[in-house]
Amino acid sequence: MLFPDHFSAVAASYARYRPTYPAALFDWIASTAPARERAWDCACGSGQATLPLSERFAQVTGTDASAQQLEEAPAHPGITWCVATAESSGLIAASFDVVTVAQALHWLDLPKFWVEVRRVLRRRGLFAAWCYGLATLDHADADARLRDFHDNVVGDYWPRERGHVDRGYRNIVLPFEQLDSPTIEMSERWTLDRLLGYIRTWSAVRRYIEAKQVDPVEAFGDTLRRDWGDATRELRWPLTIVAGRVG
C-alpha cells in the first residue's frame, strides 16, 4: 500500500503527544451535517478526531493507510477502525453523512480523493478538513526559539506537501459547494517535555534524523529549557477549516 508514510515509525508518540481538538469544532460539524448517523474520519491516525466524532454520530468509521497508527487507536463500541487509503476506502457508496480529514488533507492524492468523497457521501453530505501550523507560545523568547527551530533548523526537511499547511490550505480548492467555516482556535498548556515529545512527531524532524543520524530535538530542548523553566506554558494553534457540501 503506497502512501506518504511519515508517522508509522512514531505512531505511539503521535497518539501520546499530538494536541486535542476543541469541542467547538465537532459541535459545528455535527450541527452542519445533514444527519448524525454515520461519519467517516479519513486518514484518522490514532483517532484524535475520530473519538470526538463518536460522541456526536451514531456510527463512526476511522480509516488510515498506516496499520501502526491504527494499532494505537483505542477500542470503542461506536467506532470501526479500518486500514485503507483515502483514495480507495472500500466503504459503501452513499452511506455517510460527513467525511472529515484532520491534519492530513495535504498528504492525499486530491483528484482521486474527491472522487471517493463524492462516492461515499450521501446527498447534501458534509465534507470538512482542517489543519494547524506552528503553535504560538506565551513566552516571547521561547516562541522565537521554537519558530527558529521550525523554520531554520529543520526547515529544509519539511516535505513539499507540508507547504499546504503553511499556506493555510488557501491553495486547495474544494470541488463541492463551499461553506463558510467558523473561526476556532486550539489551545493547551504543556510542560516542556510534552512539547518536545510533540516536536519529535514532526515529519521534518523524522527526515532530519534519517538524513543526519542526529536528533535535533536534544540540543533544542537544552536551549529552550533556560527560557521555559519548570512551568507549564500555553500554546495556541489557529485552525484552518475548509468545508463543503456534496449536491
Side-chain angles (χ1 to χ4, degrees):
M1 188 181 293
L2 298 177
F3 65 99
D5 189 4
H6 298 289
F7 305 108
S8 288
V10 293
S13 294
Y14 198 102
R16 180 178 180 182
Y17 291 114
R18 285 280 165 150
T20 301
Y21 299 117
L25 171 62
F26 302 99
D27 290 342
W28 177 78
I29 291 171
S31 68
T32 308
R36 299 191 185 187
E37 292 301 313
R38 301 189 71 189
W40 172 27
D41 187 26
C42 175
C44 65
S46 42
Q48 285 74 19
T50 326
L51 284 169
L53 286 169
S54 72
E55 298 172 0
R56 294 160 176 85
F57 291 84
Q59 297 179 324
V60 180
T61 299
T63 66
D64 200 281
S66 170
Q68 292 89 338
Q69 285 271 59
L70 289 178
E71 286 173 1
E72 300 295 330
H76 188 285
I79 300 175
T80 300
W81 305 103
C82 300
V83 178
T85 63
E87 301 82 5
S88 182
S89 68
L91 300 175
I92 298 172
S95 60
F96 287 86
D97 302 301
V98 63
V99 174
T100 59
V101 186
Q103 192 69 0
L105 188 64
H106 47 289
W107 303 123
L108 308 185
D109 183 334
L110 291 181
K112 293 181 180 179
F113 179 57
W114 299 140
V115 173
E116 187 71 346
V117 171
R118 286 189 181 278
R119 186 187 72 81
V120 167
L121 275 177
R122 294 169 176 161
R123 187 176 181 277
R124 304 305 292 165
L126 173 68
F127 172 81
W130 59 91
C131 68
Y132 56 89
L134 182 62
T136 299
L137 281 165
D138 65 356
H139 184 288
D141 291 340
D143 184 70
R145 292 186 188 279
L146 178 62
R147 191 163 300 277
D148 177 71
F149 181 84
H150 176 281
D151 294 346
N152 300 317
V153 177
V154 300
D156 290 341
Y157 294 89
W158 287 107
R160 173 182 53 83
E161 297 91 337
R162 186 52 164 58
H164 290 301
V165 174
D166 296 333
R167 291 185 288 271
Y169 282 179
R170 286 189 299 273
N171 57 328
I172 294 180
V173 179
L174 301 185
F176 317 124
E177 175 191 336
Q178 192 95 11
L179 297 178
D180 292 334
S181 55
T183 300
I184 297 176
E185 186 177 69
M186 183 167 60
S187 65
E188 295 195 8
R189 293 198 68 87
W190 282 0
T191 63
L192 176 58
D193 288 340
R194 172 70 190 271
L195 174 65
L196 297 180
Y198 161 64
I199 290 172
R200 284 194 169 95
T201 71
W202 288 1
S203 55
V205 169
R206 302 310 307 163
R207 284 157 59 96
Y208 183 107
I209 292 172
E210 289 170 5
K212 297 196 172 188
Q213 298 300 302
V214 174
D215 180 0
V217 182
E218 291 288 346
F220 172 65
D222 291 341
T223 300
L224 191 58
R225 198 172 299 277
R226 292 195 291 269
D227 294 325
W228 194 285
D230 296 326
T232 60
R233 298 202 176 277
E234 185 177 50
L235 292 86
R236 292 183 174 274
W237 300 261
L239 292 178
T240 295
I241 305 167
V242 293
R245 198 179 297 281
V246 171

